């Protein structure tokens, strides 16, 4: 009879590891855990489930850590999870059936990564509404899917590669062995359960490892795309990210990811004609790509094509884009088309869903002014000035709205504050000069 081993690496996972191990009860014949330096109750809890513990020095390399644990495996099949994950209840019967197929050496498994913000995006995947198929997930409004080869045969030639986003998939493929989709789910709670500090530490680590990974694998599509995403989403550097996505396209021109992200970068850089070409190429490769479709809406919105912008955002929402940002932009497009009441209702709903999303305040302020609600527009623009992540644009927008609402004195005060924060910004300086406002 074939046996199954749960293989894990963990550090200070006491808050969640019991849930993970409980989900494997009656499924795993053996549990082997590599500890990279826990100082909490993790190991005591793990031992209460009968786990074998291996000490694994951390070397900023997830593949190396997992391989160190894999060396101690003894079962026929390996499944790997993290402490903040849980196997779906329906998986037990499915896994047993999958491991009896002698022609398959690995199964790609979908993970649902739960998030509190329906606008969350990761690696091209937009968050989707959570249908709550497991009671433990009921408090989380959205998730985004990811996939990796989580279940595989134990074989000395099959091991993990890459310091981050580690996988055995490449090895299985290089060996010419068969892998296919495993039709079960893993639930991941890290994004919703991590403290702010822990989440920030993880994201900083993943960012540095993504850059390390591409240095070691400069011709790998996944590594190049990952480095670009790290620069775009973590470092917020569209210009730095763009060459990575251009190279990703050259490596795999038939994969939509490089085209999509190239389009996102070009949109943020204001190069709309080029962005449009790249996004159209992405949608030709994958007509149901939600991020490509919503980015298409962004290009049209920025270039004043509000009819096509509305159509693109409506299509993105149909494809599962549950982002409040997309909903707000759809509302803004409708306001620009003269549908002020329905458009503002969408913008207001979006803001109520994500009060911490500062971009929504800019959209609300602009849309409200166009909808003939100047007082509301000024109020929201003022509220934005009290939040984090300000740019000179926020001061320009707020001052412009107050000027058009005949609140000249208030506009002057906003410009004073703006020029103190951003003394070299040309738009602020031009506004101050044209209005004759003293900059001191």
């Amino acid at each position: 009879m074939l046996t199954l081993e749960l293989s894990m690496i963990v550090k200070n996972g006491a808050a969640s590891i019991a849930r993970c191990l409980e989900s494997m009860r009656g499924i795993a014949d053996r549990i082997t855990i590599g500890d990279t330096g826990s100082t909490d109750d993790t190991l005591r809890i793990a031992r209460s489930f009968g786990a074998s513990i291996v000490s694994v020095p951390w070397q900023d390399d997830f593949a190396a850590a997992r391989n160190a644990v894999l060396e101690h495996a003894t079962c026929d099949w390996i499944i790997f999870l993290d402490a903040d994950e849980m196997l779906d209840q329906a998986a037990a019967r499915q896994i047993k059936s999958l491991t009896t197929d002698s022609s398959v050496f690995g199964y790609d498994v979908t993970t649902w990564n739960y998030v509190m913000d329906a606008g969350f995006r990761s690696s091209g995947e937009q968050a989707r509404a959570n249908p709550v198929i497991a009671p433990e997930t009921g408090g989380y409004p959205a998730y985004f899917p990811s996939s990796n080869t989580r279940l595989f045969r134990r074989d000395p030639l099959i091991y993990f590669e890459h310091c981050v986003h580690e996988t055995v998939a490449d090895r299985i493929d290089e060996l010419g062995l068969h892998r296919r989709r495993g039709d079960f789910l893993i639930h991941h709670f890290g994004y919703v359960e991590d403290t702010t500090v822990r989440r920030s530490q993880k994201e900083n680590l993943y960012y540095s490892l993504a850059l390390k990974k591409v240095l070691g694998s400069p011709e790998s599509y996944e590594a190049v795309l990952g480095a670009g995403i790290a620069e775009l989403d973590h470092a917020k550097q569209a210009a730095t990210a763009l060459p990575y996505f251009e190279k990703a396209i050259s490596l795999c021109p038939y994969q939509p990811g490089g085209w999509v992200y190239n389009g996102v970068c070009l949109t943020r850089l204001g190069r709309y004609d080029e962005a449009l070409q790249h996004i159209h190429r992405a949608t030709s490769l994958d007509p149901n790509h939600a991020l490509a479709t919503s980015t298409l809406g962004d290009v049209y919105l920025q270039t004043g094509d509000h009819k096509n912008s509305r159509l693109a955002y409506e299509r993105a929402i149909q494809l599962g884009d549950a982002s409040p940002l997309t909903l707000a932009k759809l509302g803004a497009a409708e306001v620009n088309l003269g549908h002020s009441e329905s458009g503002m209702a969408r913008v207001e709903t979006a803001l109520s869903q994500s009060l911490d999303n500062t971009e929504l305040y800019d959209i609300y302020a602009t849309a409200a002014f166009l909808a003939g609600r100047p007082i509301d527009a000024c109020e929201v623009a003022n509220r934005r000035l009290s939040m984090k992540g300000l740019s000179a644009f926020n001061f320009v927008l707020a001052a412009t709205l107050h000027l058009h609402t005949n609140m000249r004195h208030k506009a002057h005060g906003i410009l004073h504050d703006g020029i103190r924060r951003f003394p070299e910004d040309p738009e602020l300086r031009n506004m101050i000069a044209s209005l004759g406002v003293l900059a001191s």
Side-chain angles (χ1 to χ4, degrees):
M1 183 177 178
L2 296 173
T3 54
L4 176 68
E5 184 160 340
L6 171 61
S7 181
M8 300 175 65
I9 56 172
V10 67
K11 180 180 179 181
N12 292 338
S16 58
I17 194 171
R19 177 183 59 205
C20 175
L21 298 179
E22 185 63 39
S23 75
M24 291 296 301
R25 191 184 292 277
I27 302 173
D29 298 286
R30 188 169 186 261
I31 301 170
T32 307
I33 293 178
D35 177 59
T36 63
S38 294
T39 56
D40 62 4
D41 235 8
T42 297
L43 301 187
R44 182 192 64 77
I45 297 169
R47 289 190 178 102
S48 74
F49 282 84
S52 300
I53 309 297
V54 179
S55 179
V56 178
W58 178 245
Q59 300 173 324
D60 281 347
D61 189 322
F62 283 100
R66 292 207 189 275
N67 287 332
V69 182
L70 198 57
E71 290 177 2
H72 295 267
T74 60
C75 293
D76 301 297
W77 282 83
I78 305 295
I79 185 170
F80 74 94
L81 298 174
D82 289 326
D84 57 3
E85 295 178 329
M86 178 186 81
L87 194 66
D88 187 68
Q89 270 190 334
R93 182 181 67 258
Q94 295 161 327
I95 289 174
K96 185 175 181 180
S97 172
L98 294 174
T99 56
T100 61
D101 189 335
S102 60
S103 69
V104 181
F105 280 75
Y107 289 96
D108 297 342
V109 181
T110 298
T111 298
W112 284 12
N113 306 274
Y114 296 95
V115 292
M116 297 304 296
D117 181 4
F120 194 95
R121 189 188 77 202
S122 178
S123 299
E125 288 288 351
Q126 182 67 52
R128 309 171 186 187
N130 177 17
V132 190
I133 63 172
E136 294 87 347
T137 73
Y140 312 124
Y143 76 95
F144 69 90
S146 60
S147 179
N148 198 355
T149 307
R150 295 295 198 107
L151 177 65
F152 58 95
R153 289 182 184 273
R154 184 173 67 87
D155 186 297
L157 296 179
I158 299 176
Y159 50 81
F160 290 93
E161 296 178 307
H162 313 306
C163 61
V164 68
H165 305 308
E166 66 281 10
T167 185
V168 297
D170 293 346
R171 283 297 302 159
I172 292 174
D173 292 348
E174 287 167 13
L175 294 168
L177 303 174
H178 184 45
R179 65 184 173 96
R180 64 179 179 85
R181 171 66 52 188
D183 193 20
F184 64 92
L185 285 177
I186 293 168
H187 303 282
H188 175 224
F189 301 93
Y191 289 94
V192 291
E193 293 181 344
D194 283 346
T195 64
T196 302
V197 171
R198 183 170 175 80
R199 174 50 43 187
S200 177
Q201 290 172 340
K202 282 185 177 181
E203 289 175 352
N204 288 334
L205 174 63
Y206 296 152
Y207 171 67
S208 63
L209 291 182
L211 300 185
K212 176 182 176 181
K213 179 178 177 178
V214 77
L215 287 175
S217 305
E219 300 305 311
S220 162
Y221 169 79
E222 296 294 341
V224 171
L225 188 70
I229 292 172
E231 293 288 8
L232 181 68
D233 288 344
H234 181 79
K236 311 297 183 186
Q237 298 289 338
T240 306
L242 187 60
Y244 286 113
F245 298 134
E246 290 172 341
K247 183 169 183 179
I249 288 172
S250 70
L251 289 170
C252 288
Y254 299 108
Q255 289 281 356
W259 296 99
V260 172
Y261 274 108
N262 216 308
V264 172
C265 281
L266 291 167
T267 302
R268 293 187 186 180
L269 295 169
R271 294 161 58 178
Y272 301 121
D273 289 342
E274 296 169 81
L276 201 58
Q277 294 173 14
H278 284 79
I279 294 301
H280 279 313
R281 180 60 185 273
T283 54
S284 72
L285 293 169
D286 182 0
N288 297 323
H289 202 295
L291 177 58
T293 307
S294 64
T295 304
L296 189 62
D298 293 346
V299 175
Y300 287 135
L301 188 66
Q302 292 295 328
T303 55
D305 187 348
H306 302 300
K307 181 179 179 180
N308 278 320
S309 178
R310 178 176 66 176
L311 292 173
Y313 290 134
E314 287 175 340
R315 171 66 174 156
I317 290 169
Q318 290 172 358
L319 291 173
D321 183 345
S323 167
L325 192 56
T326 297
L327 180 63
K329 290 175 179 177
L330 171 58
E334 290 183 337
V335 169
N336 276 280
L337 289 169
H339 307 298
S340 297
E341 187 173 342
S342 62
M344 282 307 301
R346 293 187 193 277
V347 177
E348 289 167 348
T349 298
L351 185 57
S352 70
Q353 291 174 348
S354 188
L355 291 171
D356 293 331
N357 188 328
T358 55
E359 190 174 351
L360 293 175
Y361 290 81
D362 301 332
I363 295 171
Y364 188 109
T366 304
F369 184 81
L370 293 173
R373 294 164 50 177
I375 302 302
D376 289 347
C378 291
E379 180 184 336
V380 171
N382 284 338
R383 199 185 316 169
R384 175 68 184 94
L385 295 180
S386 66
M387 301 173 73
K388 295 180 179 178
L390 289 174
S391 68
F393 166 79
N394 300 117
F395 290 92
V396 171
L397 175 62
T400 301
L401 293 173
H402 283 81
L403 284 171
H404 284 287
T405 315
N406 296 318
M407 290 189 277
R408 191 179 182 89
H409 180 73
K410 178 66 175 176
H412 288 190
I414 291 170
L415 290 173
H416 276 299
D417 291 341
I419 204 67
R420 279 198 294 268
R421 284 178 175 247
F422 304 98
E424 301 304 321
D425 183 75
E427 283 194 81
L428 281 170
R429 293 171 70 89
N430 288 339
M431 282 190 75
I432 286 173
S434 66
L435 294 170
V437 179
L438 293 177
S440 59

